Amino acid sequence: MRPYILAENNWKNLKNAKIELAVLPWGATEAHNFHLPYGTDIYEADLMAAESARLAWEKGAKLVVLPTIPFGVNTGQSDIYLDINMNPSTQYAVLNDIVEVLNRQKIYKLLIFNSHGGNNFKSIIRELGLKYPKMFICFANWFQSLDRTIYFDDPGDHADEMESSLLLHLKPDLVLPRENWGTGKEKKNKIEAFQEGWVWSERKWSQISEDTGVGNPALATKEKGESYFKAVTSKTGKLFSDLCKADIEDLYE
Ligand SMILES: [Zn+2]
């Protein structure tokens, strides 16, 4: 039993425990090119949060990883078979219920550990922060924690070389053989301002990619996945420790 994983722990251990930080991994259930499992973001969130927590726990951090939320915002993929959408307003409701428990039980630090680009917690955190002033709530996109071009030759956005490498390392039995991999070719918006990145609209996924991937997975390897996983989790593990140690009344210098 890993004591930092709530789903594996028990009341005998926990009834007198003092937890500083709760970590809530958040994934999505969606197609990832032809070859990766629908649960790709769930596996990434699960396994990265667990490893980061292990590293922090070994340095004395008192933290607990909550069960991973399996559904993310997939409003742009409504026509992709069995992509399951959870609306942002539902995410607010889910978070509100979890934060209410943590706040009542005096666990004042919550980190949302996000695996899915469509999830955006900023406005939710702003609103919950006002409602629960004692809570310190933050979210991390682990996939933005490192410069991907150091680890990958052709990084993309979704089911790309990075995610394919990670899954080859983490869940090799769930990755289809290479002859099934799509090229993950992405169509760009014709309007210049969108290409420059300062105007945003939701992309209808089926119009920008034929195989649901964005980014060519061709150069993915297990070895790249392993070294990236180690690098990310050592960074996120340090974040978990830093958050445990931090005095939320005295955060700035
Ligand atoms: Zn993904």
Side-chain angles (χ1 to χ4, degrees):
M1 183 266 279
R2 295 169 295 178
Y4 46 87
I5 304 288
L6 180 59
E8 297 181 9
N9 215 327
N10 52 62
W11 199 55
K12 183 171 191 288
N13 272 333
L14 286 172
K15 69 183 163 71
N16 296 316
K18 274 252 170 290
I19 301 293
E20 275 281 314
L21 169 71
V23 176
L24 179 65
W26 206 306
T29 300
E30 59 173 347
H32 274 75
N33 199 321
F34 293 122
H35 61 289
L36 298 180
Y38 268 56
T40 292
D41 293 3
I42 305 171
Y43 294 123
E44 290 164 353
D46 253 1
L47 296 165
M48 286 199 168
E51 175 62 7
S52 314
R54 184 185 71 78
L55 295 170
W57 180 270
E58 283 176 359
K59 294 207 169 88
K62 294 281 168 272
L63 79 174
V64 71
V65 180
L66 309 182
T68 301
I69 307 284
F71 304 126
V73 176
N74 278 84
T75 41
Q77 283 100 346
S78 55
D79 55 347
I80 295 176
Y81 198 53
L82 284 175
D83 275 22
I84 307 295
N85 172 51
M86 182 187 275
N87 279 324
S89 54
T90 314
Q91 292 189 314
Y92 172 87
V94 169
L95 273 170
N96 182 62
D97 287 357
I98 293 171
V99 169
E100 193 175 37
V101 172
L102 297 174
N103 183 63
R104 189 187 323 119
Q105 301 187 357
K106 300 186 169 60
I107 299 169
Y108 291 125
K109 296 173 185 169
L110 171 65
L111 168 67
I112 303 161
F113 190 78
N114 181 41
S115 240
H116 172 62
N119 294 338
N120 189 330
F121 298 100
K122 267 190 199 174
S123 47
I124 298 176
I125 289 174
R126 291 181 200 277
E127 199 167 333
L128 288 174
L130 210 53
K131 191 168 172 187
Y132 299 98
K134 284 192 173 164
M135 291 294 303
F136 177 79
I137 311 169
C138 55
F139 80 99
N141 289 334
W142 60 259
F143 47 88
Q144 292 173 332
S145 65
L146 293 171
D147 177 1
R148 287 194 236 176
T149 60
I150 296 169
Y151 299 87
F152 302 102
D153 297 295
D154 188 14
D157 234 358
H158 178 69
D160 62 336
E161 182 189 335
M162 182 271 273
E163 281 199 299
S164 300
S165 298
L166 268 181
L167 270 282
L168 284 170
H169 168 53
L170 298 172
K171 290 278 169 191
D173 297 348
L174 300 180
V175 180
L176 285 180
R178 283 180 190 262
E179 60 267 27
N180 302 283
W181 298 12
T183 56
K185 193 173 159 14
E186 175 196 11
K187 290 187 193 153
K188 306 268 190 210
N189 196 315
K190 293 173 185 164
I191 302 168
E192 192 181 332
F194 286 86
Q195 290 179 28
E196 289 171 3
W198 57 280
V199 187
W200 184 90
S201 71
E202 174 132 70
R203 293 173 293 176
K204 193 149 174 65
W205 213 256
S206 55
Q207 292 175 6
I208 62 149
S209 169
E210 308 242 310
D211 52 31
T212 80
V214 172
N216 194 342
L219 298 173
T221 67
K222 188 180 176 29
E223 291 71 27
K224 286 179 184 173
E226 185 175 3
S227 76
Y228 182 66
F229 180 81
K230 279 195 183 142
V232 171
T233 51
S234 93
K235 195 156 182 189
T236 48
K238 180 174 183 304
L239 168 69
F240 290 15
S241 292
D242 288 348
L243 285 171
C244 277
K245 281 184 232 152
D247 174 358
I248 53 178
E249 301 302 327
D250 184 23
L251 267 183
Y252 305 100
E253 56 188 12

